[in-house]
């Protein structure tokens, strides 16, 4: 079926992927931004601020190093779980928008909760594989990253297991890695640009020496909040892109997605 469909001459379009991404965000901004902020940026900001408050007790000996690292580990675990829920929920919202509908906050969170465990599995296994690939002269890591670039949407939409999802992502991205690489460069530029804007704002407010002191003494809560707001927007963008890419790849290889949303997210 895929070979026959590809003979029509259609190619993977970065413009179509970006258009689908912004259309999905524009059609349901309240739900998508709420998920990213309430379950992603806000807890992350609160955790970062709390960790800063532990620096002084750690220096004075009021907090034992062992307890400090336990808190860090638990915070990282909580962040990871929440991020997986956010990822699953944003995939649901983007996929629904691609089908011309709007998902509710409850529907998105329900999907995120149901798919959090398999998303964790592919995050661990895929992350290990990509990390090993980068250790092997970088190029293998880039190839694996591109192969598995739509594994999140595959987990949420097609509900394969961990190995099956990685394999399915590899199948969908086969023959399109050049376009996917160009798309990911755009995403990286956007994310790096957002980070640079945040850093430039800090330098403008504090100056270079003041910034060094602020980092040492703990970043002010106002800056952490601004960082959280920027992270909210970039998270929505970075999560919607792979889903839009997934839709593009399926349509490129297999034609229009035949399942109804009620079947996909049943």
């Amino acid at each position: 079926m895929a070979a026959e469909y590809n003979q029509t001459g259609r190619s993977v379009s970065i413009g179509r992927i970006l258009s689908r991404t912004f259309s999905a965000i524009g059609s349901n901004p309240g739900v998508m931004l709420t998920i990213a902020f309430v379950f992603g940026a806000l807890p992350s900001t609160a955790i970062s601020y709390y960790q800063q408050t532990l620096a002084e007790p750690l220096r004075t000996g009021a907090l034992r190093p062992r307890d400090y690292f336990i808190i860090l580990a638990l915070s990282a675990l909580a962040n990871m779980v929440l991020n997986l829920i956010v990822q699953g929920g944003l995939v649901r919202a983007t996929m629904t928008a691609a089908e011309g509908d709007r998902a509710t906050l409850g529907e998105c969170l329900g999907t995120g909760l149901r798919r959090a465990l398999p998303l964790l599995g592919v995050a661990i296994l895929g992350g290990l594989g990509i990390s090993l690939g980068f250790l092997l002269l970088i190029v293998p890591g880039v190839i694996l990253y591109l192969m598995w670039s739509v594994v999140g949407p595959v987990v949420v939409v097609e509900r394969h297991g961990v190995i099956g999802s990685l394999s399915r992502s590899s199948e969908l991205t086969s023959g399109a890695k050049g376009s996917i690489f160009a798309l990911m460069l755009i995403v990286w530029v956007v994310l790096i640009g957002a980070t640079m804007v945040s850093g430039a704002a800090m330098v403008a407010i504090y100056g270079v020496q003041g910034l060094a002191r602020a980092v040492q003494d703990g970043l002010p809560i106002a800056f952490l909040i601004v960082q959280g707001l920027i992270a909210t927007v970039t998270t929505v963008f970075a999560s919607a892109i792979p889903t839009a890419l997934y839709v593009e790849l399926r349509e490129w290889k297999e034609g229009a997605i035949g399942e109804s949303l009620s079947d996909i997210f049943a």
Side-chain angles (χ1 to χ4, degrees), residues 42-57:
L42 186 59
S44 179
T45 300
I47 288 171
S48 296
Y49 183 73
Y50 175 64
Q51 288 174 349
Q52 285 188 171
T53 65
L54 300 178
E56 183 62 26

Side-chain angles (χ1 to χ4, degrees), residues 33-44:
L33 291 171
T34 297
I35 292 171
F37 179 72
V38 175
F39 297 92
L42 186 59
S44 179

